[in-house]
Amino acid sequence: MEKVETAMEEPERKIRRKTEKEVTAMEEPERKIRRKMEKVETAMEEAERKIRRKIASLDDDELWSGFKWEETDKILSGEIQPRTLITTYMFPCSTGYPERGPFIAREMEAVFPNSKYVIRGPNVMLDAIVALARKNDCTSFILARTDPAGEDSISITNLLNNATAIFRVIDLIPREDIPNRSDPIRGLYPRIQMRGFESPASVGTAKMIQALFPYVPPVRSQRSVAWFEKQNNYIFFRHSGYFKKETVEGQPPPSVRSLIKECGPRFALQFTGLKIFDAHNVDFYSICTECGPRFALQFTGLQIFDDHNVDFYSICLVKSVLDDYTRHVEHEVPPTRDRGMLIDMWRCGVKVHTQ
């Protein structure tokens, strides 16, 4: 009987083994892909850890050490002609300033030569923007935005080494608001002048900005001049040009034949963060950021929490809060902002009665 049962079970075992082999063969490609993806993710995380271990501040000398500048240097030497795509975030970051982002983008289009502002629709994802930039042989793209607090900012992404610099735009004066403004001569790229970028951390910032301007030989001409001057953590921008003075009939020619006029716009940049652009996943990974969320806290009083009645009882409030507030305390507690004094009173058990 045992031999008969063994003989009956043998076909079932063979079928089970065959099924297990087929399942294993089907799962093997998925396992290989999964292992490969894990290795890629581990390598990316390890590279990010190495950068983060080195970088602690935007003034760190090793801030830009993780990026390759060979292709960017070809722009500075004139071998590559730079092109820039400028757009905004997919949705307005601020409901109070919905048109501010496109306004910043149009002003930046007037600053950087060979740039094109593209209106971004509500359903246009970042990968479509990057694909459009690569299709038009763009070397950089810029995203402009305004946060809910009304602060303007731009992010400049270099597609040659995937470095992304974040700048806060301060005190922007548009071209139309500049008195006695003159337009630069068409067909002539401006000559860029960089001042104050001496530190190793500033060299990378300067290259990110210089890579947006075509190379111009150092020859005196009627070209306009784009000035970027760094003072502390601020970069001030001015765009000026040389224009001939008009001669008036019946009067002697002017002693100075050329006149310097501002072309605009006028603004300042504050370097606030550095990211790396992951072209594969179309996402940004932060390397270092120095300015986090900006808000202010005002100390207005001290309360004690009664866990039995689940309620708060006031010990002391500052004068601005006490104007319309009636207190009933056994010990007179003057309005004060001294936290140490308030904590000492709380530890001593100042009794508070509520209505």
Side-chain angles (χ1 to χ4, degrees), residues 39-299:
K39 289 181 180 179
V40 172
E41 292 176 357
T42 304
M44 291 181 62
E45 290 175 358
E46 185 64 25
E48 291 177 13
R49 285 196 206 102
K50 289 181 179 179
I51 295 176
R52 287 198 183 100
R53 277 199 296 267
K54 294 180 181 179
I55 307 305
S57 170
L58 293 176
D59 296 327
D60 197 312
D61 293 345
E62 301 294 330
L63 180 65
W64 301 91
S65 61
F67 299 99
K68 298 180 180 179
W69 297 100
E70 289 80 6
E71 295 296 321
T72 304
D73 290 337
K74 293 181 180 180
I75 296 178
L76 307 185
S77 62
E79 299 179 36
I80 298 178
Q81 191 78 350
R83 295 179 182 273
T84 307
L85 187 145
I86 304 176
T87 187
T88 59
Y89 278 58
M90 185 166 55
F91 296 101
C93 299
S94 173
T95 57
Y97 310 91
E99 299 297 328
R100 187 71 181 175
F103 170 74
I104 298 296
R106 285 190 293 268
E107 291 298 324
M108 293 300 111
E109 184 183 16
V111 173
F112 305 114
N114 292 341
S115 62
K116 179 66 176 177
Y117 168 55
V118 178
I119 300 175
R120 186 172 180 178
N123 297 321
V124 180
M125 305 299 291
L126 183 60
D127 54 354
I129 297 296
V130 176
L132 180 63
R134 295 189 185 278
K135 181 180 178 181
N136 291 274
D137 298 328
C138 292
T139 55
S140 303
F141 70 89
I142 297 176
L143 298 178
R145 60 166 288 185
T146 300
D147 62 15
E151 292 185 351
D152 306 321
S153 64
I154 59 172
S155 64
I156 302 174
T157 301
N158 188 332
L159 292 174
L160 302 180
N161 62 359
N162 295 330
T164 301
I166 313 298
F167 296 95
R168 181 177 294 116
V169 183
I170 305 171
D171 297 335
L172 173 64
I173 301 177
R175 292 163 293 166
E176 58 185 15
D177 292 345
I178 294 178
N180 300 323
R181 178 184 63 88
S182 296
D183 294 327
I185 301 175
R186 291 186 178 182
L188 292 179
Y189 295 130
R191 186 170 66 254
I192 186 171
Q193 293 286 342
M194 310 292 291
R195 290 183 178 179
F197 295 86
E198 289 88 7
S199 65
S202 300
V203 171
T205 308
K207 283 188 176 183
M208 289 289 293
I209 297 174
Q210 287 176 303
L212 301 173
F213 290 84
Y215 171 75
V216 173
V219 179
R220 291 192 63 181
S221 62
Q222 295 296 324
R223 297 179 185 272
S224 59
V225 180
W227 300 85
F228 288 90
E229 183 171 355
K230 185 176 183 298
Q231 297 180 11
N232 297 327
N233 195 29
Y234 297 94
I235 303 171
F236 297 92
F237 171 76
R238 297 292 185 273
H239 187 191
S240 304
Y242 297 91
F243 302 93
K244 293 183 179 180
K245 279 189 174 182
E246 297 180 358
T247 57
V248 182
E249 295 183 1
Q251 294 184 5
S255 58
V256 181
R257 295 184 178 182
S258 61
L259 181 67
I260 299 177
K261 288 188 177 181
E262 191 171 358
C263 303
R266 185 191 305 171
F267 57 87
L269 298 176
Q270 183 183 14
F271 185 39
T272 60
L274 177 64
K275 296 182 179 181
I276 183 171
F277 176 65
D278 184 0
H280 179 69
N281 296 319
V282 193
D283 201 358
F284 297 94
Y285 298 97
S286 179
I287 294 177
C288 183
T289 178
E290 207 159 66
C291 297
R294 301 182 66 190
F295 56 89
L297 298 178
Q298 182 180 7
F299 183 74

Side-chain angles (χ1 to χ4, degrees), residues 2-16:
E2 293 180 358
K3 292 182 180 181
V4 173
E5 291 177 357
T6 304
M8 293 176 63
E9 292 176 356
E10 189 63 29
E12 295 180 2
R13 292 174 185 167
K14 290 182 179 180
I15 294 172
R16 195 179 298 114

